[in-house]
Amino acid sequence: MLSAVRGFFAQDIAIDLGTANTLVYCIGRGIVFNEPTVIALRDDGPRRKVIAFGREASSDLGKTPAGVHAIRPLSDGAVTDFEVAEELIKLVISRALNRRGAVVNTRVVITVPSGSTAVERRAIRESAEKAGARRVSQESLEQFAI
């Protein structure tokens, strides 16, 4: 009975974490998120606070006031800022599932840039797990190249 209830709330999603755009596909709903891989942060003392991501943050690139930075956490097929990439993954999963809180019982497949190292792949996997994914699989698109 408990597994049936858990299965009701489960959601399988696929994330294409790209350097330009991030796409999220949900089974039964299609592509639910297709926005730039950009995040805007405000410096709050030693911590950075996320104020926008996706299209909203992309419109701020190069036009942010003092103390606010719009950045791309992935560049040239590699993760340039692990902490920001982790926050972006959490936000993307939450928006794709239309949830504000924890992501419950979600299975995630993430495609990673082909130039990413083993350390970067592990960091991306851990980011999805910290976001609450029950099971995370990773695939590099280079194995699908024709």
Side-chain angles (χ1 to χ4, degrees), residues 1-4 12 16-17 45-48 56 68-69 73 76 78 87 101 105 110 124 136 138 143-144:
M1 165 104 174
L2 185 60
S3 64
D12 296 341
D16 177 11
L17 193 60
R47 294 186 43 173
R48 297 186 291 184
E56 190 178 329
V68 176
H69 307 282
D76 296 326
E87 279 300 313
N105 207 25
I110 300 179
I124 290 170
V136 180
Q138 288 180 315
Q143 71 185 16
F144 300 110

Side-chain angles (χ1 to χ4, degrees), residues 29-144:
R29 292 173 43 205
I31 295 176
V32 295
F33 186 87
N34 180 5
E35 296 191 18
T37 307
V38 179
I39 191 164
L41 305 164
R42 179 185 315 132
D43 293 331
D44 263 349
R47 294 186 43 173
R48 297 186 291 184
K49 181 179 177 187
V50 176
I51 57 173
F53 69 102
R55 282 189 199 100
E56 190 178 329
S58 177
S59 65
D60 293 340
L61 273 174
K63 300 183 269 182
T64 57
V68 176
H69 307 282
I71 60 171
R72 294 184 178 273
L74 288 93
S75 177
D76 296 326
V79 178
T80 55
D81 192 328
F82 292 110
E83 292 174 4
V84 175
E86 179 177 322
E87 279 300 313
L88 182 67
I89 290 169
K90 287 179 188 178
L91 292 167
V92 165
I93 291 173
S94 293
R95 183 180 287 176
L97 298 177
N98 297 322
R99 296 188 186 144
R100 292 243 180 240
V103 177
V104 179
N105 207 25
T106 301
R107 293 184 299 180
V108 179
V109 173
I110 300 179
T111 59
V112 293
S114 60
S116 60
T117 65
V119 172
E120 291 168 335
R121 289 182 184 138
R122 187 173 64 241
I124 290 170
R125 172 188 294 268
E126 289 173 359
S127 297
E129 289 170 348
K130 284 182 184 178
R134 173 174 51 123
R135 199 168 95 209
V136 180
S137 302
Q138 288 180 315
E139 299 296 332
S140 175
L141 291 177
E142 67 187 9
Q143 71 185 16
F144 300 110

